[in-house]
Amino acid sequence: MTNRRLPYYYRPIRPRATSSVPPLTRETAPDRLLWLDGKTGVTARGAADFDGATQQLSAPSNAAVQIGDVDCWWALWVRLDAKSVERALLTKWSGAPNREYQIAYNPIADRLRLAVTSDGVSSAVEVRADAFGSPPTGVWMFLMAYHDATADRIGISVNGGAFDTTAFSGGIWIGAAPLTLGAFGSGAGRLDGQLDQVCLGKAPTGGIGSAAATIRDALYNGGAGLPYSGISAAQRAAWGMVAGWTLDEPSGNRRDSIGSTTLVDTASTPGVDGIVGSPANEADPVRAWTDRVAGRIFSENAVASRPIYRSASFLNLDGANDRLSLSPGPVVGNRPAFTIVAKVRLDALPSGSPAVIYTEADASGGVVNRLAVSPSGNVVASYRASGEPLVSASSAASLATGVDAVVAVRRDGTALQVFVNGLPSGPAATIGAGTSLAGATARVGGPVESAGFVPLGGRIYDLFAVGRALTDAEVAQLSS
């Protein structure tokens, strides 16, 4: 018998599974030009927000915050939300014999004031900020007060103005009242408003007479303010700083930045908003948005109101006059190919004119690269090539209010295409081949031009630009 081999069975060879190409991300995108990210790039203010009913911050009496007959000063930022009754800001003031010092709003005189006693019992000596006048509500104000033990005077100044002063002798009583922010030690006079950057100093170099204006001007900083992190060790020593609270951290305890006194929430935690950053200003504004790629900073434009950072990591724009600028610009400029992607949410559709998400333009609109939203909710991209008229492409899809959306524009030579949520939307526009965009200012959330366009009302979560024309698939990946 002959042995026979079993027949071979041939099966088609299947290719080995290979790892798929990883999706394009902002970290891996080539030729990145700009990456503004609300999660990490926004510098904002925070503050302790008091409700006028139950909230205050307090710490037990100790040597750091007791004064006596020595030179001393207090400084803080305050925003009054209501002022129909007495509002305590910073106090060491309980019932007799523990009445020491208080900085508060006096509703009878309609003034901010400093009041002190020399024995903890007698009627207080008060100096009012008459030079400043009636304090407004809803506006941040910088307040500084002092006690001059040599000249036997107390003084108060608001927003860097001249000090109002009055005579006071005997020194400030040393008692057992707790140091309290937002109320008196008894719990009366609760603040309806916000406090930030509270500082206290004693025995400054050369005495308060020579130091008061120096400290005032440095901390007020022309209205921009100076955060604790911006005060040098040499300044702290010269000014005799013994306490400084940056009221930004979302925790139950707010530790004295120098390390001696912890303020503890009483009744309920005052609301906090934002992160430690630049000095206090209108409505805790965004001062800057930093590019994660090259560190370029879009800073606030000089307008009455600024974008507001909310804790959910986005730039919140009011639709009236909020905007951030980078000058000199532009970022994308004269590139023959680029892609800009932004994640946004509209609070309301713009009225009458398109609202700007991002633009590179001069004041006359002579050079333009713009991504905007029309009053009907369509995304409109515009580009003006050298020697050519402005050309725009519009999306077929429209954005709904209150809904997150990712919008994009791609220039690929002479083609300008709009995308909504990762998909091309509407026909591409044909633009000129010229690429002159020299001299433009880049701006986020509002126009450069004085007419024809309006600020955006809503959120910008991030803004991303690359210096090449991404494929449809790559735009979709960045939009996911």
Side-chain angles (χ1 to χ4, degrees):
M1 177 178 276
T2 304
N3 290 330
R4 302 176 65 183
R5 288 184 175 182
L6 294 175
Y8 288 99
Y9 292 91
Y10 292 93
R11 291 178 297 180
I13 297 176
R14 296 178 179 175
R16 289 183 179 179
T18 58
S19 59
S20 61
V21 177
L24 187 70
T25 66
R26 284 160 172 75
E27 290 89 345
T28 61
D31 199 9
R32 293 180 299 171
L33 300 174
L34 180 70
W35 184 6
L36 299 174
D37 179 8
K39 294 180 179 178
T40 61
V42 179
T43 301
R45 284 310 303 155
D49 191 355
F50 301 85
D51 63 4
T54 62
Q55 298 169 339
Q56 66 187 56
L57 293 169
S58 62
S61 179
N62 62 38
V65 296
Q66 294 168 341
I67 304 302
D69 198 12
V70 299
D71 286 358
C72 75
W73 59 270
W74 306 264
L76 55 86
W77 285 88
V78 57
R79 174 180 166 135
L80 298 172
D81 291 337
K83 59 175 192 175
S84 56
V85 298
E86 189 171 39
R87 304 292 183 181
L89 309 182
L90 181 157
T91 72
K92 202 169 183 301
W93 193 279
S94 296
N98 291 305
R99 303 167 71 201
E100 301 175 52
Y101 57 82
Q102 58 161 281
I103 297 174
Y105 167 71
N106 181 336
I108 298 174
D110 191 24
R111 294 291 188 270
L112 296 167
R113 73 176 181 192
L114 166 68
V116 295
T117 71
S118 58
D119 60 7
V121 178
S122 301
S123 297
V125 175
E126 176 182 275
V127 60
R128 300 169 182 169
D130 289 326
F132 180 74
S134 173
T137 58
V139 175
W140 278 103
M141 297 168 286
F142 173 74
L143 187 154
M144 180 176 172
Y146 70 81
H147 168 241
D148 188 331
T150 302
D152 286 333
R153 299 194 75 80
I154 55 176
I156 189 169
S157 164
V158 180
N159 285 353
F163 284 98
D164 289 286
T165 68
T166 195
F168 170 75
S169 61
I172 298 175
W173 177 250
I174 295 177
L179 177 79
T180 306
L181 302 186
F184 295 105
S186 63
R190 294 189 187 274
L191 173 64
D192 185 352
Q194 300 179 45
L195 293 175
D196 198 11
Q197 295 295 132
V198 178
C199 298
L200 168 62
K202 293 195 294 187
T205 301
I208 193 65
S210 60
T214 299
I215 299 170
R216 175 200 62 197
D217 294 345
L219 292 178
Y220 183 54
N221 193 22
L226 187 68
Y228 177 83
S229 60
I231 304 172
S232 69
Q235 286 173 315
R236 293 197 299 270
W239 299 349
M241 281 188 67
V242 294
W245 295 274
T246 298
L247 303 176
D248 297 324
E249 73 281 12
S251 67
N253 295 332
R254 289 161 179 80
R255 185 168 296 279
D256 171 3
S257 301
I258 295 176
S260 63
T261 304
T262 299
L263 294 168
V264 180
D265 296 327
T266 303
S268 61
T269 305
V272 292
D273 174 42
I275 58 176
V276 175
S278 55
N281 213 313
E282 288 295 329
D284 297 337
V286 168
R287 303 280 297 188
W289 203 1
T290 304
D291 172 16
R292 289 182 60 181
V293 178
R296 289 168 294 195
I297 298 176
F298 284 71
S299 59
E300 65 181 15
N301 201 47
V303 293
S305 181
R306 282 96 173 186
I308 302 171
Y309 178 89
R310 300 302 186 193
S311 58
S313 300
F314 52 80
L315 194 67
N316 190 19
L317 301 133
D318 66 2
N321 49 19
D322 289 347
R323 52 193 184 269
L324 298 176
S325 297
L326 176 66
S327 184
V331 174
V332 172
N334 59 4
R335 292 177 178 269
F338 61 80
T339 309
I340 302 173
V341 183
K343 183 178 179 181
V344 301
R345 175 187 287 190
L346 300 179
D347 291 339
L349 292 173
S351 176
S353 300
V356 173
I357 298 171
Y358 175 76
T359 188
E360 295 172 11
D362 65 18
S364 66
V367 288
V368 174
N369 168 36
R370 184 189 302 115
L371 184 61
V373 181
S374 74
S376 60
N378 300 98
V379 180
V380 181
S382 305
Y383 192 88
R384 188 191 307 274
S386 177
E388 301 282 344
L390 180 70
V391 177
S392 299
S394 181
S395 68
S398 58
L399 305 187
T401 58
V403 179
D404 294 348
V406 180
V407 300
V409 57
R410 176 182 66 200
R411 180 188 185 184
D412 189 359
T414 59
L416 194 68
Q417 177 66 60
V418 173
F419 293 77
V420 176
N421 291 328
L423 298 175
S425 184
T430 301
I431 61 176
T435 56
S436 176
L437 270 177
T441 294
R443 187 161 286 170
V444 175
V448 178
E449 304 91 331
S450 59
F453 297 88
V454 298
L456 183 76
R459 306 175 182 180
I460 299 180
Y461 295 91
D462 63 359
L463 181 68
F464 186 76
V466 296
R468 69 184 186 94
L470 299 178
T471 66
D472 289 5
E474 289 172 328
V475 174
Q477 287 175 337
L478 284 183
S479 301
S480 64

